[in-house]
Amino acid sequence: MDLNALSEREKLELMEYLDNIQVHDSNRNFCEIVNQCFEKCSYKFKTKNIENKEALCLQNCAAKFTKFNIRMNHRFEEYQRERHSEITEQTKT
């Protein structure tokens, strides 16, 4: 897609759409982290306080999940760049 072919209004609409997708994905990832880490780390409900062991587990779980998502996003970006290059080369011939 040639972005230069779009009008300014269309560019703004596209950017708004992409921003909305990014916000939705961020919210979904946050919910996944909360659900997975809660299920893994929260096991005592006798008090309203989080025990040190649970807090450490939650921190480690969230950090691990975040690192995984960052790595996965980098790999996806690499794949997208490769696909873009392949498509660009195919259209030249």
Side-chain angles (χ1 to χ4, degrees):
M1 170 185 252
D2 183 14
L3 293 179
N4 293 325
L6 299 175
S7 70
E8 289 301 315
R9 182 174 170 253
E10 291 170 327
K11 288 178 186 176
L12 288 173
E13 287 174 357
L14 178 61
M15 292 305 295
E16 184 177 327
Y17 175 75
L18 294 174
D19 286 343
N20 286 336
I21 289 174
Q22 188 174 21
V23 167
H24 180 268
D25 285 347
S26 294
N27 287 337
R28 185 179 44 79
N29 282 337
F30 177 77
C31 288
E32 281 184 51
I33 291 171
V34 170
N35 286 333
Q36 287 185 12
C37 295
F38 180 82
E39 287 178 12
K40 179 181 178 185
C41 300
S42 297
Y43 51 88
K44 288 189 177 180
F45 298 99
K46 294 178 182 177
T47 68
K48 64 181 179 178
N49 297 325
I50 296 176
E51 293 184 4
N52 289 340
K53 186 177 179 181
E54 289 175 313
L56 182 60
C57 179
L58 289 167
Q59 287 175 337
N60 290 337
C61 180
K64 189 175 191 178
F65 194 88
T66 302
K67 287 177 188 177
F68 169 78
N69 271 331
I70 290 170
R71 185 174 177 139
M72 185 177 65
N73 285 334
H74 286 301
R75 294 287 187 217
F76 182 72
E77 288 172 7
E78 289 173 7
Y79 171 78
Q80 289 293 86
R81 280 194 297 273
E82 289 172 7
R83 286 291 300 144
H84 180 71
S85 295
E86 290 172 7
I87 292 170
T88 303
E89 288 299 317
Q90 288 174 358
T91 57
K92 288 182 181 179
T93 56

